[in-house]
Amino acid sequence: MHGETKDAPELEKLSIDETSDTGEETPTEKRQTWSSQLDFIMTSVGSCVGLGNIWRFPYLCYKNGGGAFLIPYAITFFLAATPTYVAEISLGQYMSAGTTRAWKIVPLFQGLGYASQVILIYSNVYYIVVVAWALYYIAQSFTSTLPWTSCDNPWNTDRCFVSGMNYSETVTTSNCTTSTLGTNLTNCVNYTVNRGKPIDAVEEFWENKALRMSSGIEEPGSLVPGLVVALIVAWILAYVCICRGVKWTGKIVYFTAIVPYFLLLIIFIRGMTLDGATHGVIYYLKPNFSRLSDAQVWLDGATQVIYSIGVGQGYMITLGSYNKFKANSVRNGFIVICVNCLTSIFGGLAVFATLGFMSHEMNVPIEKVASSGPGLVFLTYPKAVSQMPIAPLWSVLFFLTILFVGLDSQFASVEATLTPFLDRWPKVLYKPRNRMIFVGVYCIVCFLIGLLLVTEGGVYLFRIIDFYAVSGFVLFGMVFMEVLAFGWVFGADRFYDILELMTGSRPGPWMKICWKYLSPLIINVIFWFQIVTYKPLTFDEDTKYPTWATVLGFILTFSSVACIPIVGIYKLVTAHGSLKQRLSMSVRPILKKHQIVPRWMNSNYKWTLQQYEAHDVNNPFNVNDELENISEHESS
């Protein structure tokens, strides 16, 4: 099963996929491939580098011991994330198919493909809302004075507070009435009003103006017009960039993937020129090795690296499927994941240089001005830029960065969702015009569903989807099943064979060891630690979710992961023979002839030139070179 024994003919352990042997099922339009490997690398970098790199990583880094946090991060990076990432890209390239068909390599685990499709649909609907938020803030920043810098706006309350201004929780006022004698005399009574704790003007803009938040998920309220318009624009941008396929997207991404780095560099340079910036950077990176005794630090480090590179969600399999068959997937995977890691560190430098400035200006510790997730993006940093000269300019540049990193991730996610449908009906959907219509219909449907997230209670649903549907238990469960399939069911040695077939060389032994032992161990420990330490999601300290919302969250969780056992059971039930025979059949790879490694073949197995030319137009490789390789093997 694992490709360990070479005496028995490996061909007997395989099923041949005959769907395109004679060319009868070959579509008129060829399946697209990247114009160059640089297109693939740039698109992959853009898809992996998202909000998690720029904001979640630096927050977790300073929260969990600064530079010491890099130790669990690096261990997970090298022993779990990198091997899984390379395997996903290589699987897509080898099978030349989207997530569902790619897992024909292990039919029993084909439910992984369907599960990733469900996760991607959730991701498509909710993630683009962040892009819409960024667009809304960009529009609001085109003004001489940023709207979240004062308390004189219609959306402000009497608890509004601007940083640097005095605020009292109590205020004395007068209640005056006109005398009944018809004179101008008035009777006034002074009394004290308790206004309560102050609310920052930035927070009031976010909650009362941008989101128009209701009091809870039980009150969805009406649509927020500004966010609806922003969501429409976001989907139009996404559609324009992906409607014509990866050759078109591969060119656009040169702009959308590079610009964020340029903007980050500008923000970093500006941040380092501010008072207190050095203090912020030191606070961000200064090691606190005592924190390594806390299991939560290791959990956060492992979770961050797995989450940020996007494994387990299917879109790296899809991006890899558009590679040419002979591309060096191992080298490309290492390049992308290293760029991803360095981006996280550099993004933290840019952010904490600015937070150091805020700490200096407000004369408070950095931990009092920094928060995680959307709080850092839409609360802390807007407050920071409001204190800079030419504040609207820096606000626009900052939210443009958020816009581009969000769009890049959205491109990959939508492409990954649609690719299995394109592969299922290639004669129709490979045609450019039909593809554009199909992509348009999908974008419209996702937009309509996404309207639920731009209502007055939409942000509460957003948090549920983020916590239960596309991260946490779901993500680690998916990755664990993947490494189990790569390392044990298909077999690490056999996977090395296909890497050699595609790239011309076999990687060192460390990746095989990771697939079989280290990666499953690390992922399994994280998965069970999350289950043991699970607490129901709360929106904030004062806002708890009702029981039915938690139940909804678990329904979202199981709607994806349930696909794995359901499809596995179906494969076993529909197979023939005894349970052992059924199990053997369900783990037998279903491959096309060009995917069979020469050393797996019987000595009498040989293709004709016509078979090679017609086998599969979706895998453009040098036919003569491939025939030569097989001839050399047979002659030996």
Side-chain angles (χ1 to χ4, degrees):
M1 181 186 301
H2 305 154
E4 306 280 357
T5 304
K6 300 299 181 183
D7 296 332
E10 282 287 342
L11 194 62
E12 296 178 1
K13 303 178 183 179
L14 306 171
S15 296
I16 306 300
D17 186 350
E18 303 284 357
T19 56
S20 58
D21 253 6
T22 63
E24 294 176 359
E25 297 296 327
T26 299
T28 305
E29 299 289 339
K30 292 185 178 181
R31 192 178 195 270
Q32 291 189 10
T33 58
W34 302 105
S35 298
S36 68
Q37 284 303 286
L38 186 58
D39 286 7
F40 166 73
I41 290 173
M42 293 299 296
T43 305
S44 299
V45 167
S47 67
C48 293
V49 175
L51 297 177
N53 300 79
I54 300 176
W55 307 115
R56 191 171 185 269
F57 173 85
Y59 171 77
L60 291 175
C61 190
Y62 97 84
K63 169 192 169 186
N64 291 306
F69 175 75
L70 297 178
I71 295 176
Y73 183 88
I75 290 174
T76 309
F77 177 86
F78 286 109
L79 301 184
T82 300
T84 308
Y85 190 84
V86 170
E88 284 196 357
I89 293 176
S90 302
L91 173 62
Q93 178 176 314
Y94 178 63
M95 299 299 289
S96 189
T99 53
T100 53
R101 292 199 166 196
W103 282 106
K104 282 186 175 183
I105 197 170
V106 185
L108 184 66
F109 284 68
Q110 203 166 354
L112 282 167
Y114 294 99
S116 65
Q117 283 295 102
V118 177
I119 295 171
L120 285 169
I121 291 173
Y122 292 143
S123 181
N124 292 343
V125 171
Y126 106 103
Y127 191 81
I128 201 169
V129 174
V130 180
V131 177
W133 291 342
L135 281 167
Y136 182 82
Y137 269 76
I138 290 172
Q140 293 292 319
S141 299
F142 281 99
T143 178
S144 57
T145 303
L146 293 175
W148 53 83
T149 58
S150 71
C151 293
D152 302 326
N153 306 289
W155 60 83
N156 293 126
T157 68
D158 58 358
R159 296 169 61 190
C160 181
F161 173 75
V162 178
S163 299
M165 294 178 57
N166 294 325
Y167 178 88
S168 174
E169 290 189 19
T170 61
V171 61
T172 301
T173 186
S174 299
N175 182 18
C176 302
T177 58
T178 304
S179 173
T180 57
L181 299 176
T183 66
N184 291 329
L185 298 177
T186 58
N187 299 316
C188 296
V189 178
N190 293 333
Y191 63 97
T192 301
V193 176
N194 188 347
R195 294 194 292 174
K197 293 183 178 180
I199 302 176
D200 196 284
V202 177
E203 185 177 351
E204 287 207 341
F205 176 84
W206 168 243
E207 295 182 353
N208 300 342
K209 172 64 174 175
L211 300 181
R212 297 189 184 180
M213 285 177 58
S214 65
S215 59
I217 194 172
E218 306 94 329
E219 300 179 16
S222 58
L223 292 170
V224 180
L227 293 184
V228 172
V229 173
L231 189 62
I232 293 173
V233 174
W235 271 115
I236 290 174
L237 290 173
Y239 172 77
V240 169
C241 293
I242 64 175
C243 65
R244 296 177 60 183
V246 295
K247 288 186 179 294
W248 174 254
T249 305
K251 303 308 178 188
I252 292 177
V253 81
Y254 281 92
F255 177 77
T256 59
I258 292 176
V259 167
Y261 288 97
F262 178 70
L263 296 175
L264 268 180
L265 180 61
I266 294 175
I267 293 171
F268 170 72
I269 294 174
R270 175 53 181 159
M272 291 303 297
T273 63
L274 300 170
D275 295 334
T278 304
H279 174 67
V281 171
I282 293 174
Y283 188 89
Y284 164 51
L285 294 177
K286 183 180 179 180
N288 179 9
F289 293 107
S290 64
R291 296 285 287 118
L292 294 178
S293 61
D294 186 351
Q296 187 64 43
V297 175
W298 292 84
L299 175 65
D300 284 347
T303 302
Q304 170 59 20
V305 68
I306 294 294
Y307 180 80
S308 66
I309 65 173
V311 292
Q313 301 176 50
Y315 59 77
M316 290 317 305
I317 293 176
T318 301
L319 296 182
S321 76
Y322 291 107
N323 276 332
K324 290 181 171 61
F325 191 77
K326 293 293 186 179
N328 193 331
S329 58
V330 178
R331 177 202 62 197
N332 294 343
F334 273 98
I335 292 174
V336 174
I337 198 171
C338 287
V339 171
N340 180 285
C341 179
L342 293 175
T343 301
S344 295
I345 297 174
F346 179 66
L349 293 174
V351 169
F352 272 85
T354 306
L355 295 182
F357 161 72
M358 284 187 64
S359 174
H360 177 270
E361 289 294 301
M362 299 168 61
N363 195 27
V364 296
I366 290 182
E367 58 266 26
K368 298 296 184 181
V369 299
S371 56
S372 64
L376 184 57
V377 177
F378 296 101
L379 293 176
T380 305
Y381 205 89
K383 184 191 298 183
V385 299
S386 68
Q387 300 177 36
M388 298 180 187
I390 324 177
L393 171 64
W394 300 110
S395 180
V396 169
L397 292 178
F398 169 75
F399 286 109
L400 277 175
T401 306
I402 301 300
L403 170 65
F404 284 123
V405 298
L407 279 176
D408 283 339
S409 299
Q410 187 73 11
F411 297 164
S413 182
V414 174
E415 186 67 49
T417 308
L418 299 180
T419 295
F421 297 97
L422 300 173
D423 291 342
R424 178 64 180 83
W425 294 285
K427 288 185 177 181
V428 177
L429 297 180
Y430 280 1
K431 296 179 180 179
R433 180 175 177 274
N434 293 349
R435 176 195 164 93
M436 293 176 70
I437 295 173
F438 178 62
V439 174
V441 170
Y442 179 78
C443 290
I444 291 172
V445 171
C446 285
F447 162 74
L448 294 175
I449 299 173
L451 290 176
L452 294 171
L453 301 174
V454 291
T455 61
E456 293 171 347
V459 68
Y460 300 102
L461 180 58
F462 177 93
R463 286 288 302 277
I464 286 180
I465 296 175
D466 179 61
F467 185 80
Y468 287 103
V470 297
S471 60
F473 309 122
V474 172
L475 189 59
F476 284 97
M478 291 285 292
V479 175
F480 177 75
M481 297 302 292
E482 283 189 9
V483 294
L484 184 65
F486 292 136
W488 291 97
V489 183
F490 183 77
D493 286 305
R494 186 186 283 172
F495 208 89
Y496 263 44
D497 288 342
I498 67 175
L499 291 179
E500 183 180 14
L501 174 68
M502 295 189 299
T503 68
S505 61
R506 300 175 75 86
W510 78 273
M511 199 150 56
K512 184 190 303 183
I513 295 172
C514 291
W515 286 335
K516 297 187 70 171
Y517 306 108
L518 299 178
S519 296
L521 176 62
I522 292 173
I523 300 301
N524 199 35
V525 168
I526 297 170
F527 177 77
W528 286 107
F529 188 85
Q530 284 192 327
I531 290 180
V532 170
T533 59
Y534 166 77
K535 294 180 181 178
L537 175 68
T538 59
F539 188 79
D540 55 37
E541 294 180 357
D542 301 321
T543 308
K544 308 293 191 267
Y545 280 101
T547 302
W548 68 264
T550 301
V551 172
L552 172 63
F554 278 109
I555 290 174
L556 297 178
T557 297
F558 289 111
S559 65
S560 58
V561 296
C563 295
I564 303 173
I566 289 173
V567 174
I569 293 171
Y570 173 79
K571 295 291 183 182
L572 289 173
V573 170
T574 55
H576 301 287
S578 64
L579 179 60
K580 182 178 180 180
Q581 291 171 327
R582 291 167 184 254
L583 184 61
S584 177
M585 286 294 297
S586 65
V587 297
R588 178 180 295 179
I590 303 174
L591 305 175
K592 294 187 169 116
K593 291 180 179 178
H594 77 281
Q595 294 166 329
I596 300 175
V597 176
R599 66 166 57 93
W600 298 348
M601 297 180 178
N602 291 322
S603 59
N604 295 328
Y605 188 79
K606 186 175 182 179
W607 287 28
T608 66
L609 179 61
Q610 289 73 24
Q611 282 179 311
Y612 263 106
E613 290 176 338
H615 82 282
D616 189 358
V617 295
N618 303 331
N619 284 282
F621 60 89
N622 191 311
V623 172
N624 293 327
D625 288 347
E626 197 72 12
L627 284 172
E628 182 180 348
N629 291 339
I630 292 179
S631 298
E632 289 176 358
H633 173 75
E634 290 179 344
S635 62
S636 61

